[in-house]
Each structure stands twice: as structure tokens, then as C-alpha cells.
Amino acid sequence: MRTRIAITGLGVKTPAGLTVAEAFTTVLNGKSVVQHVDALSEADVAVPMAAVVPEFDIDSYFSRRERHGLDRTARLGLAAAIDAVADSGLAPGKLGVRCGVCVGIGGVGTSASIENVVMNRITTGKRLGPFTVPMTMPSATAARIALRMGITGPATTYATACASGTTAIGEALRAIRSGALDAIIAGGAESGLTPIVIEGFQQIGVLSRRVDDPAAASRPFDADRDGFVMGEGAAFLILERWDHALARGARIYAELAGYGATSDASHIVAPEPTGLCASRCIAAALTDARVDRVEVGHVNAHGTATVANDAAEAAALTRFFGPEVPPVTATKGITGHMIAGAGAFEAVVTALSVQQGMVPPVANFERCSDGIALDVVAGEPQLIGSAPAISNLFGFGGQNATLAISPA
Amino acid sequence: MGTSHDQILQIVMDTVSEVVGLDPGALTPQANLMGEYDLDSIELMEIGTRLERAFMVQIEPGQLFDAESASDVASYLYDKVLVA
């Protein structure tokens, strides 16, 4: 019989909340937390808005000594991972060689860290500190988690742009199935709310320009959507071999049942408009999960709120499911796009939605644009009962990843 | 400028305290930095970078690694500051 994977712990540091309960409540309320950011307007950035993680008590997470080498991405990531381990009941510091770490890092956080170093170097003229390299290396968050938790199995980092968090969780599923590991801390972290990073995305034309009304800017699948809003955040899940979780009496939120991954091979930023490879990604995840399409209770869509993504994703969903696409939700209306944090947090939201049989509404959604025929959950959470769900993340470069999550 | 050895030592101690995350009162000037406080080389370099900024001098890494205690670092800086 094939190895089943249990989700036994969750931890988040997101704009929607600093705990899993708080963040999921915010998501169920369906109100965007996107806000104006003074630091960006002061730096003359044309779209000075983002979804920002509230301040939290870093003293309770990191010693004064530990925090010198931690940039904001690593702080959010490590704090979320610490919460996830605590939630799972595993003993931190003694996780050992049968445990691993899989972290998604899109690169936006890395770019922001380097931007900060360079700007500081230029404005002060002072030499770099010795923590520059250990702080800006993309693998820093994974290494920090392993260090803190005493994990001596592999600590790996995945970069598939916006899909990075999902890829990390999916690859963790494969690593546990391979038999090499019993448990993995898997998720993603990203913080890149710096002027040059934001302006870079703005120059692609993918960011919403609705700067006079930030809370209404991120509107997945809505007819009046005009782009995504950058967010920051981190989420981690504890994934465990099913019998390992049962043996220690762990609470199981849901089953991570399947993973699919494909590439569009079409364009470096634009999604392939017919959704062919994205639909194959969904098919791969559900085949892997041994779940038939008619069993799927809801879709947690990538839903960035760019005109092109949402149209291509709708095409992929219709192509795969036919006219009866299950109810669709999209978390980015609330949190903006947390890049690698997005896929990880959306896996958390999907797991809780499956566990509670309740699909959150899409913030700011009023009506579908022409040509999109989806049942988008709006206004109130929708009760759907116990059923599997999928979480899609489709990254720049046409990098697609889908997770299938089933009730425990 | 009238920077005394003791004033320099105080700044060194404060800097060591910030980097190792211990209260200044828990540190002693003669304690071996790497041995007593388990400083690694990158933390020692961080202390050096902060002291360079504080005193606006350039510190040779080799000198920093030769210094065993906060007191040694202060003596080294005292000479540098006087010369500068």
C-alpha cells in the first residue's frame, strides 16, 4: 500500500494573522488586508501598497544573538516553522536525521535583502558586515530551520517563482514517500516589499494600479481586476508519514494526497492562455492522489488578480473539469501575493477548508468577466461538506504546481 | 580627542554584548572571547565591523583574531585611535 502523508502541524506569519486561527478567521471574513505603505511612497514608487505582516514579538522567537544574521524573509520563515513544530507536538531540537526541511523561496526576498545591503553600502559608504552572505543566500531560511530544530536530514530550497512554496510541499511529499524521511517541515517564506523589487514588478505591468483604494486592489477573477498586489509572509506545515503520526498520537488536520507539476514552455512571465499545461498539472495532482475529478469539493485557485492569470486559470479549470467546475476560492484577494509564502499559506488554508468543510470567499469579487464561467465563492464562506480539494500555484516562467488535499 | 582606554573598553564590551546577546554585566574584560562566549569567526568579524564603524578605523582581521579578550581588543583600538 502506498505511503500516506499526514499534515500534523501548521504555523504562519502572514498579513492575515500571526497565528493559524487568526489568519484563517481573517480569510473566512473575506476582507482584504492590503494597505498603503508610506516607505514605498516616500521612495517614489508608483504603486505604494502591499499586504504587510504585523509586528510580532521577535524576542519570543529568536535570541539577540540569533537575529543578527536573519533577514526579514528568514525571520518570518523561521518563526512560522517554530510555530508549526510546536503545533505538531514534535520535540524541537531533537528531530534528527529522519526529518528534513523543504523551503520555497521565490527570490523576491533574496533580491530585497541584497537591495538593502547595496543601498546601505551606497548611502553610508561603510564596509559590508560579515553576515551579508549568510543572510542573503537563498538557502538561508532552510538552513536556519534545520539549525534551530536539530534536523540532520536534508534541508533543501526550491525556486519556482510564485509556485515555490507549493513545489517545496510537493517535493516533501515525494521525499517522505521515497522512504528516506519520516517527517518534513515544508513551506515557504518571502519578504520583498522594497522599492526596487516593487518597481521591478510594476515595470512588467502585473501590479494593480488601484492605489487610491488599496483594500479594493486585489480582486481575483473579478471583471474589474487590474493586477496583483505584493504581499509578504510565511507558512509552514509539518508533513509526516501517516503511521509515524498515528504512532505518536498526533492530531491530523488533513491528508496531503497528491502533487502535480508541469511547465508551460510558453513565455517567461505570461501564462499560456489556453491553460493546457496548467490543466495537465491539475490532472497530475489528482491522479497522484487517486481522486476522481467529480470528487473534488473546491478549488483554491492561484487567482493572482492579473487579467492574464485569472483568464488562463479559468481556461485550465474548464478544460480539466468541463462545465461543472467545483466552487473556486482565491486567497490573494485578502493577503496579496506573498510569492513563496503564497503557496504555503494557501496549502494551510486549503487544509483547514477541507478539515472544516468550509470554503472562504474571495475578497473584492463582484462579478466574473466575460468568458470566465466559474462558481466563485463570494460574500460568505460556503459550506461544502467533507471533500478533497486542490491548491493551484502557477508561477512566472510557466512553472505550475498543484497540491491535492483530502480529509483525514 | 580625549578617548581613554576605559571608554574604548566600554564600547568594545557593549559591542560584544550586542553580538553575543548577553547583558554587559555578564561579561568580563579579560575573558577569552572565543572560549568563554563561544564566539565563532563570523561573530568576531561582526564585532570588528561594528567597532570599525564606531571608531572610524580599519581593523585588520588578523589583529582581531590575535586578540583574546575584550581588553586586548580595546588596547589594539587605543593604539589605532591614538595614531589616527
Side-chain angles (χ1 to χ4, degrees):
Chain A
M1 203 178 122
R2 196 168 56 151
T3 306
R4 295 176 73 198
I5 313 295
I7 300 171
T8 60
L10 305 172
V12 304
K13 287 286 171 276
T14 74
L18 300 172
T19 66
V20 172
E22 184 194 0
F24 193 56
T25 300
T26 305
V27 170
L28 287 176
N29 285 337
K31 298 279 185 291
S32 180
V33 298
V34 171
Q35 63 186 73
H36 176 87
V37 178
D38 288 340
L40 292 174
S41 50
E42 282 158 17
D44 210 19
V45 174
V47 287
M49 55 183 177
V52 181
V53 177
E55 288 304 312
F56 62 100
D57 178 22
I58 60 170
D59 289 340
S60 64
Y61 287 93
F62 318 118
S63 68
R64 277 164 58 199
R65 185 174 197 168
E66 196 174 17
R67 74 185 65 150
H68 299 305
L70 298 174
D71 71 356
R72 188 157 169 85
T73 294
R75 285 180 186 205
L76 296 176
L78 183 52
I82 289 168
D83 287 349
V85 171
D87 186 48
S88 75
L90 287 168
K94 298 179 189 162
L95 295 176
V97 73
R98 294 284 301 170
C99 187
V101 184
C102 292
V103 179
I105 296 287
V108 167
T110 309
S111 300
S113 269
I114 294 169
E115 179 183 333
N116 288 334
V117 168
V118 171
M119 295 307 289
N120 192 48
R121 179 76 167 79
I122 291 170
T123 53
T124 69
K126 289 176 177 163
R127 279 207 291 184
L128 301 183
F131 280 105
T132 305
V133 170
M135 192 166 67
T136 58
M137 57 191 191
S139 52
T141 302
R144 289 285 183 175
I145 294 171
L147 221 113
R148 174 65 176 260
M149 296 298 168
I151 291 170
T152 52
T156 49
T157 302
Y158 296 87
T160 52
C162 316
S164 303
T166 309
T167 300
I169 294 165
E171 295 296 331
L173 171 150
R174 289 182 176 170
I176 295 174
R177 275 203 198 135
S178 78
L181 298 170
D182 297 330
I184 298 183
I185 303 175
E190 203 93 47
S191 175
L193 306 181
T194 50
I196 287 173
V197 168
I198 300 290
E199 190 166 315
F201 277 86
Q202 180 207 325
Q203 290 299 84
I204 305 174
V206 292
L207 295 185
S208 170
R209 308 282 302 201
R210 204 181 292 261
V211 292
D212 52 344
D213 191 3
S218 183
R219 34 198 323 123
F221 296 105
D222 184 69
D224 294 326
R225 69 189 185 275
D226 74 330
F228 79 81
V229 176
M230 190 66 84
E232 62 169 356
F236 279 88
L237 298 82
I238 306 302
L239 306 177
E240 262 180 277
R241 218 181 54 236
W242 200 269
D243 59 315
H244 187 271
L246 288 183
R248 66 181 190 89
R251 171 201 39 208
I252 298 176
Y253 286 97
E255 178 182 359
L256 179 63
Y259 166 52
T262 63
S263 298
D264 284 353
S266 168
H267 190 274
I268 193 61
V269 292
E272 192 280 306
T274 72
L276 175 64
C277 292
S279 74
R280 285 181 178 153
C281 182
I282 297 167
L286 289 172
T287 303
D288 188 39
R290 317 276 202 265
V291 169
D292 191 87
R293 73 189 72 192
V294 299
E295 298 174 64
V296 176
H298 81 279
V299 174
N300 189 305
H302 183 43
T304 59
T306 67
V307 171
N309 173 80
D310 294 3
E313 186 167 13
L317 290 169
T318 306
R319 182 186 282 272
F320 177 75
F321 286 103
E324 296 296 314
V325 180
V328 173
T329 188
T331 310
K332 295 184 183 75
I334 291 143
T335 59
H337 193 339
M338 299 183 275
I339 312 295
F345 182 58
E346 288 161 28
V348 170
V349 169
T350 306
L352 293 172
S353 302
V354 164
Q355 182 203 34
Q356 300 179 20
M358 195 152 53
V359 184
V362 176
N364 296 314
F365 176 83
E366 289 169 15
R367 62 188 170 87
C368 274
S369 51
D370 293 344
I372 295 184
L374 295 178
D375 172 14
V376 177
V377 180
E380 299 282 312
Q382 186 173 331
L383 294 171
I384 51 141
S386 182
I390 57 168
S391 171
N392 287 334
L393 272 290
F394 302 143
F396 274 4
Q399 296 184 278
N400 308 313
T402 298
L403 300 175
I405 295 176
S406 296
Chain B
M1 83 193 240
T3 310
S4 73
H5 189 279
D6 282 353
Q7 285 170 321
I8 293 175
L9 179 61
Q10 192 55 52
I11 293 169
V12 172
M13 297 286 281
D14 289 346
T15 305
V16 172
S17 148
E18 286 163 17
V19 173
V20 301
L22 294 171
D23 288 333
L27 306 176
T28 48
Q30 268 69 42
N32 183 292
L33 289 172
M34 310 223 11
E36 198 74 28
Y37 306 126
D38 196 28
L39 272 180
D40 61 25
S41 60
I42 194 169
E43 288 172 326
L44 195 60
M45 289 292 289
E46 175 71 20
I47 290 168
T49 308
R50 289 178 185 222
L51 291 173
E52 282 186 333
R53 290 175 188 166
F55 291 100
M56 303 213 279
V57 294
Q58 193 161 333
I59 299 174
E60 299 306 322
Q63 292 287 343
L64 199 59
F65 283 93
D66 287 345
E68 290 196 344
S69 64
S71 182
D72 289 351
V73 175
S75 298
Y76 168 71
L77 280 170
Y78 185 65
D79 294 342
K80 290 284 279 193
V81 172
L82 280 187
V83 171

